[in-house]
Amino acid sequence: MARRRIVITGLGIVSPVGNTVTEAWQNILAGRSGIGMLTHFTSATFPTRIAGEVKNLDLDSYLSPKEARRMDPFIHFGMAAGIQAVRDAGLEAEQPDAERIGVCIGSGIGGLGTIEAGIKANPTIIDDEPSIAIRKVSPFFVPSLIINMISGNLSIRYGFKGPNIAMVSACTTGTHSIGDAARIIEYGDADVMVAGGAEAGITPTCVGGFCAARALSTRNDDPTTASRPWDKGRDGFVMGEGAGVLVLEEYEHARARGAKIYAELIGYGMSGDAYHMTAPNADGPRRCIVAALKNAGVNPDAVHYINAHGTSTPLGDKNESDAIKLAFGDAAYKIAVNSTKSMTGHLLGGAGGIESLFTVLALHHQVAPPTINIFEQDPECDLDYCANTARDMKIDIALNNNFGFGGTNGSLVFKKI
């Protein structure tokens, strides 16, 4: 049986650089940072007081107040991005083949803010006599925070009756969600999948945990330059939040209904480091990239652009650069590599969603976004990182990388169409 082709027919985003695809893309190309002082909670005693927060999201355009009250912010973000993507793909009207349309939108952490708020509102709940404690818990508590509820709510909204799943694989969640959704279409279990990732992790517990791990930048005096992948002065990543969602569709199905097509997804690779809970190694990402290229059926020298994981951590950035060189050989030095995290911060489980979206737009518009804040490039990171300025260029094949705690890796290969 011939392999089914997968194309991208819809895009949606909620992010620190904008809450529509047009706005976010314009800001990314202009090199505008979405990072500022943290406002979601009082962080005066935290070593890190900066973040890439979502701003001015018109939630009423997507959800009723009643619906919104029953959802954690990560679901708000995922629903808004998902609704945008469905609308963009022209799938908002009732679909006659709804049983062939599915959803796979995941999150790395899920509703941590709702859990925090629940405990804060009832601090003695764990120790209370059970019959008293239960009366203090909302019946919507669990469905307001569990990770599969973006997929669940979106499928209910539109009557999509195909596969309804959610991935959880730390910072690779969005990429794995898109890749596995593509495989579902490829193997014939659906014709359309709405896929991506969302996160709302800018909460006291989450930020505090990363602070304790010394993973976050402490450049509080200059937030917009705090995320500086591959720069010699990088000192950690910046937390971001939001969601990125793509509509994946079987090629002939898309053509038959006259859908606009942004790009084709031709390869997907996964790997495990089997090395360390949080520290990366180069071999795992190398094997992931090689697997994606093999699945795509393209040689390393065919790739023109990489949207890298590029978190702005001292160890992670060098490790990814080394992995790219190991996977691509001499061709690595001819590829434009960038990190849009320099502007958005790191969306954790949402990173692969928005970064795949930016990769698709780079192909569609034939322009590589910049990596901002490269003031003095680390000599140990010696690739072309598209420093500080967007670049009009030929892009036929592009790669997106994401890597997560636990040594979980994902790469996607997209093609101009």
Side-chain angles (χ1 to χ4, degrees):
M1 184 178 70
R3 178 175 170 181
R4 303 179 92 206
R5 295 174 66 186
I6 315 296
V7 293
I8 313 304
T9 58
L11 302 172
I13 190 170
V14 171
S15 79
V17 293
N19 301 324
T20 68
V21 171
T22 299
E23 180 189 19
W25 183 239
Q26 288 175 345
N27 284 330
I28 285 291
L29 291 186
R32 297 190 187 102
S33 173
I35 295 165
M37 298 307 296
L38 194 158
T39 65
H40 287 353
F41 62 90
T42 301
S43 60
T45 60
F46 283 60
T48 293
R49 299 185 295 279
I50 55 176
E53 296 180 340
V54 169
K55 299 169 282 290
N56 304 316
L57 176 63
D58 181 12
L59 200 57
D60 291 342
S61 297
Y62 306 102
L63 300 168
S64 71
K66 182 179 179 180
E67 289 174 317
R69 283 195 299 272
R70 297 176 179 180
M71 299 175 182
D72 183 87
F74 92 95
I75 304 179
H76 295 162
F77 298 156
M79 287 292 290
I83 290 166
Q84 286 179 36
V86 170
R87 289 173 177 171
D88 187 39
L91 295 170
E92 194 167 32
E94 185 176 350
Q95 297 299 312
D97 58 348
E99 293 183 6
R100 303 288 299 166
I101 303 174
V103 188
C104 179
I105 303 174
S107 179
I109 297 174
L112 181 58
T114 294
I115 295 172
E116 291 178 2
I119 294 173
K120 186 176 181 179
N122 186 10
T124 63
I125 187 170
I126 295 171
D127 299 320
D128 274 348
E129 196 276 324
S131 63
I132 298 173
I134 289 171
R135 292 199 297 270
K136 298 179 181 180
V137 179
S138 167
F140 302 108
F141 179 71
V142 172
S144 72
L145 63 89
I146 54 177
I147 284 171
N148 71 304
M149 278 300 175
I150 303 173
S151 294
N153 280 294
L154 198 68
S155 69
I156 292 167
R157 181 186 182 99
Y158 290 114
F160 296 157
K161 298 178 181 178
N164 178 343
I165 59 174
M167 303 292 294
V168 182
S169 49
C171 302
T172 320
T173 295
T175 295
H176 282 160
S177 296
I178 294 165
D180 276 21
R183 293 257 166 100
I184 286 170
I185 297 172
E186 186 178 331
Y187 284 100
D189 293 323
D191 295 321
V192 181
M193 290 292 294
V194 186
E199 203 76 86
I202 304 175
T203 75
T205 301
C206 192
V207 174
F210 281 116
C211 282
R214 299 183 180 180
L216 298 180
S217 171
T218 57
R219 196 168 274 108
N220 301 307
D221 57 338
D222 194 3
T224 60
T225 71
S227 182
R228 45 178 75 186
W230 302 296
D231 184 76
K232 192 174 181 179
R234 66 191 185 278
D235 70 329
F237 76 87
V238 177
M239 286 278 288
E241 63 181 0
V245 176
L246 280 59
V247 173
L248 312 182
E249 190 164 353
E250 193 274 324
Y251 175 64
E252 295 298 341
H253 186 276
R255 285 191 62 194
R257 67 182 190 88
K260 73 173 171 289
I261 296 174
Y262 289 98
E264 184 173 0
L265 174 54
I266 61 172
Y268 174 39
M270 298 175 283
S271 73
D273 290 353
Y275 175 69
H276 190 274
M277 183 174 64
T278 56
N281 79 338
D283 184 62
R286 176 196 68 80
R287 288 184 288 104
C288 180
I289 293 168
V290 169
L293 296 177
K294 181 179 179 181
N295 184 238
V298 300
N299 293 324
D301 60 3
V303 176
H304 298 124
Y305 165 70
I306 298 174
N307 189 310
H309 192 52
T311 57
S312 183
T313 60
L315 181 59
D317 289 1
K318 180 182 182 303
N319 186 78
E320 184 173 11
S321 296
D322 291 344
I324 290 170
K325 288 184 280 189
L326 288 169
F328 286 93
D330 292 341
Y333 293 93
K334 300 176 182 178
I335 301 171
V337 180
N338 88 309
S339 173
T340 46
K341 287 186 180 75
S342 59
M343 294 164 275
T344 66
H346 188 359
L347 270 66
L348 308 180
I354 67 165
E355 289 158 20
S356 292
L357 182 148
F358 292 143
T359 305
V360 166
L361 290 174
L363 279 163
H364 186 65
H365 295 291
Q366 295 288 282
V367 56
T371 304
I372 68 168
N373 301 327
I374 297 183
F375 303 105
E376 182 181 358
Q377 186 169 317
D378 186 341
E380 291 190 300
C381 301
D382 59 349
L383 300 177
D384 174 4
Y385 301 112
C386 208
N388 301 314
T389 304
R391 183 183 305 167
D392 292 323
M393 60 178 285
K394 175 185 177 181
I395 309 175
D396 290 331
I397 306 289
L399 180 81
N400 178 64
N401 286 333
N402 287 107
F403 316 127
F405 281 179
T408 181
N409 308 304
S411 296
L412 297 168
V413 183
F414 296 93
K415 179 182 178 182
K416 184 178 182 296
I417 195 166

